Amino acid sequence: MSFTHPTGTRGARQPSRSSNWINRLVARRARRADGKTMGMNLLVLTTIGRKSGEPRSTPVGYFTGPGGTWLIAASAAGAKANPAWYLNLAAHPDEATVELAGRKVEVTAEELHGADREQAWQQITTEAAGFRKYETATDREIPVIRLTPKS
């Protein structure tokens, strides 16, 4: 199935651009680390900008999915709009990479729907209860993305 681009009518403030320098520091650590960074499993997701066509890298919390995949949630801390990386993935789902633990992996992105999404969301909120707060802060359904390594 395709990406749905849900947007809500209410939500928390979108994380500010002033946090870019923090993202760079966290991304540097996530690229090297094997395990938790700042209490979460982090990877660096590089997407292709939907407007610019330029690579965009963002540290994102991940959860281990089935068969060596990664699950990520486009929570944007409960904002009413999706994060930019989600929109970039929607535009270019086959042009993304994941970096973690000193390795770089090309991936294909797929938004989960229905029972697959519900099962993944249950896993995410069980492993990281803070995501429940994001869910209640907004009225949009938070997209869950499965990143599958390319062969």
Side-chain angles (χ1 to χ4, degrees):
M1 289 187 87
S2 63
F3 285 71
T4 57
H5 306 280
T7 301
T9 59
R10 65 174 173 78
R13 288 187 58 204
Q14 188 82 275
S16 71
R17 290 185 184 254
S18 65
S19 63
N20 283 346
W21 69 273
I22 294 172
N23 280 347
R24 282 193 299 275
L25 291 173
V26 172
R28 198 172 314 139
R29 177 154 183 175
R31 283 182 172 107
R32 293 188 315 255
D34 188 13
K36 296 193 182 294
T37 301
M38 297 176 60
M40 281 199 75
N41 290 322
L42 291 179
L43 56 80
V44 178
L45 176 66
T46 301
T47 59
I48 301 300
R50 69 190 184 286
K51 295 177 185 176
S52 70
E54 297 294 319
R56 304 290 185 212
S57 296
T58 309
V60 179
Y62 77 87
F63 304 86
T64 303
T69 62
W70 296 280
L71 301 172
I72 57 176
S75 65
K80 69 179 181 178
N82 289 303
W85 63 257
Y86 168 86
L87 300 172
N88 293 343
L89 277 180
H92 305 285
D94 295 322
E95 298 181 53
T97 60
V98 162
E99 293 177 79
L100 73 159
R103 62 190 175 116
K104 188 173 188 175
V105 181
E106 292 183 0
V107 296
T108 299
E110 171 192 15
E111 183 175 341
L112 301 180
H113 301 280
D116 288 338
R117 186 219 174 260
E118 290 307 313
Q119 182 179 14
W121 185 249
Q122 180 64 38
Q123 176 188 344
I124 289 167
T125 56
T126 298
E127 292 180 26
F131 279 85
R132 287 192 189 105
K133 180 178 75 171
Y134 301 152
E135 184 177 37
T136 59
T138 184
D139 57 349
R140 71 179 167 93
E141 181 177 82
I142 295 173
V144 176
I145 312 302
R146 180 174 32 227
L147 302 171
T148 304
K150 292 182 178 179
S151 300

